[in-house]
């Protein structure tokens, strides 16, 4: 079993490369509100780049494991708000895509993931820890240059080190 990284260790890693633009990053916060429930809450601040709408997606497969996984079937309750907290309209033009009305510099998107998978490409949470797979966890911004993604973890104090 791999030792769990603390939120401090994750936040202080620089996994970016020269391929990332200098545009503002997508900033995620991953929370486990109840370690006895197999779910994860994700919040992401999404830069709008001045656009009237943004489109987010969740991949349907993971690199290196070329099987359709349809991760969107584990995503629940996606909502969006502007910087003042006002709700924004969300459309779902495809099963794994969300189009969100936008104004301002960024929007805040929240969703819940059901984490009951037992595979190298799915998410799992229980009372002792979690395994998150990037493609199954993090919505991405459709279009534009590659940009950095920042991830902060808020983990239950009851989990072992």
């Amino acid at each position: 079993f791999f030792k769990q990284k603390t939120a401090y260790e994750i936040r202080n890693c620089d996994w970016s490369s020269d391929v990332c633009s200098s545009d503002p990053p997508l900033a995620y916060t991953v929370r486990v509100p109840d370690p006895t429930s197999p779910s994860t809450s994700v919040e992401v601040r999404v830069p709008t780049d001045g656009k009237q709408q943004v489109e987010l997606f969740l991949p349907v497969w993971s690199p290196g494991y070329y099987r359709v996984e349809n991760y969107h079937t584990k995503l629940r309750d996606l909502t969006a708000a502007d910087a003042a907290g006002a709700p924004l309209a969300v459309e779902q033009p495809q099963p794994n895509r969300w189009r969100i009305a936008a104004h301002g510099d960024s929007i805040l998107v929240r969703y819940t993931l059901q984490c009951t998978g037992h595979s190298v490409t799915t998410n799992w949470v229980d009372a002792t820890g979690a395994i998150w797979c990037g493609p199954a966890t993090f919505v991405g911004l459709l279009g534009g240059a590659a940009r950095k993604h920042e991830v902060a973890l808020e983990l239950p104090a009851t989990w072992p080190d």
Side-chain angles (χ1 to χ4, degrees):
F1 212 119
F2 293 99
K3 181 184 182 307
Q4 164 186 313
K5 283 187 176 272
T6 66
Y8 176 82
E9 290 169 318
I10 295 289
R11 279 194 298 262
N12 289 304
C13 292
D14 185 1
W15 294 327
S16 63
S17 68
D18 293 336
V19 301
C20 289
S21 73
S22 60
D23 293 334
L26 277 81
Y28 303 86
T29 302
V30 177
R31 294 181 180 91
V32 177
D34 178 1
T36 63
S37 172
S39 66
T40 297
S41 298
V42 180
E43 182 177 283
V44 57
R45 175 124 349 245
V46 179
T48 64
D49 299 331
K51 296 178 183 171
Q52 296 297 316
Q53 67 181 18
V54 296
E55 192 159 337
L56 303 176
F57 74 99
L58 199 60
V60 296
W61 58 275
S62 292
Y65 194 74
Y66 302 103
R67 184 177 97 176
V68 174
E69 296 276 273
N70 290 321
Y71 299 126
H72 64 276
T73 63
K74 300 292 186 180
L75 189 146
R76 306 280 186 269
D77 306 322
L78 187 139
T79 63
D82 66 13
L88 297 171
V90 178
E91 300 173 21
Q92 194 169 1
Q94 294 180 31
N96 70 324
R97 291 190 181 184
W98 297 267
R99 188 175 299 133
I100 303 169
H103 58 272
D105 293 337
S106 65
I107 61 173
L108 187 64
V109 175
R110 292 182 173 104
Y111 54 94
T112 300
L113 296 169
Q114 297 304 305
C115 302
T116 57
H118 292 277
S119 163
V120 296
T121 61
T122 58
N123 297 324
W124 168 79
V125 172
D126 77 4
T128 63
I131 297 174
W132 292 294
C133 174
T137 304
F138 303 110
V139 294
L141 186 58
L142 194 63
R147 64 174 77 216
K148 291 181 182 181
H149 292 65
E150 297 174 352
V151 177
L153 301 176
E154 293 183 8
L155 306 176
T158 57
W159 282 359
D161 287 336

